[in-house]
């Protein structure tokens, strides 16, 4: 009996080992392609009317397009901190621009390397401190987002993905397109007189010139996506690779970046995984950038832990669920990029509540004050121009928008009796989130955010 039992247990162990080996072999490669200051509405499959993005659109046709994907902060450094930690901004510590994450926070390259993945990054870093993010540097894509030459080459990426077929990889391709100074691509292909401007812009000749230059760099971004997918296909890796495209926050043209408005925190997100994601799917499930890393960890065979705020969206990708989050949450802490101007926001996929915690102050983003297009907006003497410029610098305490009826968020419903219950519900959810994050609101956006003044802190979950 003991011999029989031993043989049975041995058989089970062997079967389990074989199953683990098979599972390991099925673990996907992973490629995350991240844009830089790209508005979701300027991607073809999200309704772009001025430009085409055939490679990104092809990715969507072959995979899954998300209509309710959100970042938590509409500036680059905090967005990347959230993406690479799976944690909301206050908890990871890097919640303002030019910030650094807290001591002890585990990041994407650390977590995936532990699971046997090679983890590389091509392109823009903008993550601090660098030693907390031990990505392998993959050459070929511009690292400095202020470069005047945002072109790319593929040799580094091709070498990285081809190096070892027995070892799965995760590669982040972090483009600098279409970040300012908008010196790449060919803006002359756009007829300035025929450009259709978003309604939260002020129509001036300088606006049209700047918008065309920005759209020209989206062409470069689309080419980069096409080249990465082609490299995977030519090496017969596409069937084994999950490819995720993210548009990051919106353009620096006022009304997107540096805000919690829809144009700033709403993101394009597309996932392709041949054989696992049914082609041509669209989902309105609410997801946030913090969900990406837990997803990659789960698919790599790990168990996402409670240190991460995000949750795996693998059930969404594989069609086992059609819902994910009840709310998306956002923040903006302005210092040291300007005077303190803390903003917090929550949305349920349709209605969005924005809480400007210091409405008596003037909003200033120093990086934008000398932009020619903004100067042209201020010089335009129309009611629309006065409204758009006025809402940028001076905001009420609360803003409530129905994004189904008003996607550009130009009609504030806050304080209206018929929307009182919606406003109260979103405000309760927002306050609960802030308490759970240890977010002090006004106290989080102070001169202590200046890197030289900020003491080192260890991560402690509230």
């Amino acid at each position: 009996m003991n011999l029989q039992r031993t043989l049975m247990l041995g058989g089970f162990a062997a079967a389990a080992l074989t199953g683990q080996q098979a599972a390991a072999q099925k673990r996907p490669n992973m490629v995350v392609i991240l844009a830089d200051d790209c508005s979701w509405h300027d991607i073809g499959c999200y309704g772009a009317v001025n430009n085409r993005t055939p490679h990104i659109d092809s990715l969507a046709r072959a995979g899954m397009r998300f209509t309710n994907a959100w970042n938590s902060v509409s500036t680059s450094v905090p967005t990347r901190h959230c993406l690479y930690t799976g944690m909301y901004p206050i908890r990871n510590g890097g919640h303002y621009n030019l910030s650094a994450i807290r001591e002890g926070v585990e990041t994407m390259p650390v977590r995936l390397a532990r699971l046997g993945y090679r983890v590389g990054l091509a392109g823009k870093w903008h993550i601090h401190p660098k030693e907390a993010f031990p990505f392998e540097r993959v050459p070929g894509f511009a690292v400095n987002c202020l470069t005047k030459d945002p072109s790319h080459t593929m040799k580094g990426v091709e070498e990285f993905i081809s190096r070892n077929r027995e070892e799965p990889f995760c590669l982040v391709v972090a483009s600098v397109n279409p970040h300012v100074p908008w010196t790449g691509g060919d803006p002359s292909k756009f007829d300035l007189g025929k450009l259709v401007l978003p309604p939260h812009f002020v129509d001036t000749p300088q606006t049209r010139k700047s918008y065309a230059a920005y759209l020209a760099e989206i062409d470069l971004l689309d080419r980069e996506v096409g080249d990465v997918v082609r490299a995977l296909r030519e090496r017969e890796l596409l069937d084994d690779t999950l490819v995720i495209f993210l548009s990051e926050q919106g353009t620096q043209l006022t009304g997107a970046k540096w805000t919690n408005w829809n144009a700033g925190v709403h993101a394009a997100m597309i996932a392709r995984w041949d054989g696992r994601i049914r082609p041509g799917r669209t989902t309105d499930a609410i997801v946030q950038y913090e969900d990406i890393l837990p997803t990659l960890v789960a698919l790599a065979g790990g168990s996402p832990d409670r240190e991460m705020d995000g949750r795996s969206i693998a059930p969404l990708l594989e069609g086992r669920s059609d819902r994910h989050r009840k709310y998306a949450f956002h923040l903006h802490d302005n210092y040291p990029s300007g005077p303190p101007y803390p903003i917090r926001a929550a949305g349920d996929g349709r209605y969005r509540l924005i809480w400007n915690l210091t409405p008596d102050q003037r909003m200033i983003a120093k990086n934008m004050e000398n932009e020619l297009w903004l100067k042209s907006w201020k010089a335009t003497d129309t009611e629309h121009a006065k409204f758009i410029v006025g809402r940028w610098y001076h905001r009420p305490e609360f803003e409530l928008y129905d994004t189904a009826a008003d996607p550009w968020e130009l009609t504030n419903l806050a304080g209206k009796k018929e929307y009182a219950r919606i406003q109260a519900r979103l405000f309760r959810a927002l306050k609960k989130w802030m308490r759970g994050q240890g977010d002090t609101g006004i106290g989080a956006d102070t001169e202590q955010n200046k890197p030289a003044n900020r003491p080192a802190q260890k991560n402690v979950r509230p």
Side-chain angles (χ1 to χ4, degrees):
M1 181 65 69
N2 288 340
L3 177 60
Q4 183 180 12
R5 177 178 174 80
T6 300
L7 290 172
M8 289 176 63
L9 290 175
F12 288 143
L17 182 60
T18 301
Q20 290 170 3
Q21 292 171 336
Q25 291 173 356
K26 291 180 180 178
R27 292 188 303 168
N29 300 313
M30 304 158 179
V31 174
V32 178
I33 306 173
L34 184 63
D36 195 4
D37 289 7
C38 179
S39 295
W40 60 273
H41 55 79
D42 291 316
I43 301 297
C45 58
Y46 283 88
V49 295
N50 297 295
N51 58 306
R52 299 180 60 209
T53 53
H55 298 297
I56 299 173
D57 296 351
S58 176
L59 202 65
R61 287 193 299 272
M64 186 176 192
R65 184 172 66 90
F66 292 75
T67 63
N68 258 317
W70 305 87
N71 57 56
S72 298
V73 187
S74 59
T75 50
S76 290
V77 172
T79 290
R80 289 153 205 271
H81 287 162
C82 294
L83 176 65
Y84 300 148
T85 67
M87 297 167 67
Y88 282 126
I90 293 291
R91 280 201 57 245
N92 72 43
H95 55 97
Y96 56 94
N97 216 23
L98 308 179
S99 59
I101 63 171
R102 299 184 195 278
E103 180 185 344
V105 172
E106 289 198 327
T107 62
M108 179 186 289
V110 173
R111 289 182 179 275
L112 292 179
R114 187 185 300 138
L115 296 169
Y117 274 69
R118 289 186 293 110
V119 190
L121 192 158
K124 179 175 176 175
W125 281 64
H126 252 193
I127 40 182
H128 309 288
K130 282 195 171 64
E131 57 268 23
F133 299 87
F135 287 103
E136 176 184 336
R137 289 180 176 268
V138 178
F141 285 71
V143 174
N144 185 347
C145 59
L146 298 179
T147 181
K148 293 185 178 180
D149 179 17
S151 60
H152 71 284
T153 61
M154 289 296 296
K155 185 177 180 180
V157 167
E158 291 168 352
E159 189 281 327
F160 180 84
I161 65 176
S162 304
R163 188 183 306 159
N164 184 346
R165 294 294 182 124
E166 303 303 315
E167 186 179 32
F169 64 80
C170 176
L171 173 65
V172 177
V173 179
S175 175
V176 299
N177 294 311
H179 193 286
V180 292
W182 300 329
T183 52
D186 179 16
S188 68
K189 66 180 286 187
F190 298 100
D191 184 332
L192 299 187
K194 293 182 179 179
L195 285 177
V196 179
L197 301 183
H200 64 292
F201 286 9
V202 176
D203 192 350
T204 70
Q206 185 60 51
T207 304
R208 291 178 173 271
K209 181 179 179 181
S210 297
Y211 193 38
Y214 152 78
L215 293 174
E217 289 207 353
I218 293 182
D219 285 350
L220 296 185
L221 169 69
D222 187 65
R223 253 178 265 166
E224 290 169 333
V225 173
D227 285 348
V228 171
V229 173
R230 175 187 51 76
L232 292 168
R233 181 182 292 112
E234 288 178 351
R235 287 154 184 80
E236 299 183 346
L237 291 167
L238 193 55
D239 288 348
D240 302 318
T241 302
L242 168 63
V243 181
I244 296 175
F245 168 80
L246 300 166
S247 68
E248 208 204 31
Q249 70 264 347
T251 174
Q252 186 153 299
L253 286 160
T254 297
K257 190 176 182 179
W258 311 98
T259 80
N260 276 184
W261 286 323
N262 189 34
V265 291
H266 195 174
M269 176 175 167
I270 297 166
R272 174 178 179 171
W273 189 6
D274 292 2
R276 300 291 289 272
I277 296 176
R278 180 166 54 82
R281 288 178 59 201
T282 299
T283 178
D284 61 1
I286 298 173
V287 301
Q288 293 203 248
Y289 277 32
E290 290 79 1
D291 297 323
I292 302 297
L293 180 54
T295 304
L296 302 186
V297 168
L299 295 175
S303 298
D305 56 54
R306 66 185 301 271
E307 280 303 303
M308 290 190 281
D309 293 305
R311 294 182 290 114
S312 172
I313 61 170
L316 278 174
L317 299 178
E318 296 173 339
R320 294 182 281 116
S321 176
D322 59 4
R323 289 291 177 264
H324 191 62
R325 291 179 175 271
K326 187 174 183 180
Y327 298 107
F329 298 104
H330 322 279
L331 65 80
H332 176 73
D333 286 333
N334 202 49
Y335 198 89
S337 299
Y341 198 90
I343 309 168
R344 304 294 185 265
D348 64 7
R350 175 173 177 177
Y351 292 99
R352 301 189 65 253
L353 178 69
I354 299 173
W355 184 19
N356 300 300
L357 279 73
T358 56
D360 54 324
Q361 302 298 313
R362 179 180 171 90
M363 169 62 187
I364 299 287
K366 291 185 295 187
N367 291 29
M368 293 172 54
E369 283 301 297
N370 291 321
E371 294 286 356
L372 295 178
W373 53 265
L374 182 55
K375 291 180 178 180
S376 76
W377 292 16
K378 294 178 183 179
T380 301
D381 188 21
T382 65
E383 290 304 312
H384 179 69
K386 292 175 183 177
F387 170 71
I388 294 298
V389 173
R391 78 192 287 259
W392 169 253
Y393 287 110
H394 302 285
R395 307 177 195 181
E397 181 175 9
F398 292 106
E399 301 172 67
L400 177 67
Y401 299 105
D402 177 355
T403 57
D406 178 26
W408 306 106
E409 297 183 334
L410 300 177
T411 302
N412 186 7
L413 305 174
K416 294 184 180 296
K417 184 178 179 180
E418 59 268 40
Y419 295 97
R421 288 186 178 180
I422 295 171
Q423 182 171 337
R425 172 174 57 82
L426 289 172
F427 192 52
R428 284 194 301 271
L430 179 57
K431 292 285 284 184
K432 180 179 179 181
W433 175 69
M434 290 176 64
R435 286 193 301 271
Q437 292 291 305
D439 182 0
T440 58
I442 292 176
D445 191 6
T446 70
E447 193 166 345
Q448 291 303 308
N449 278 353
K450 201 169 187 176
N453 297 340
R454 190 167 184 266
Q457 300 181 61
K458 291 189 177 183
N459 178 49
V460 180
R461 189 177 182 93

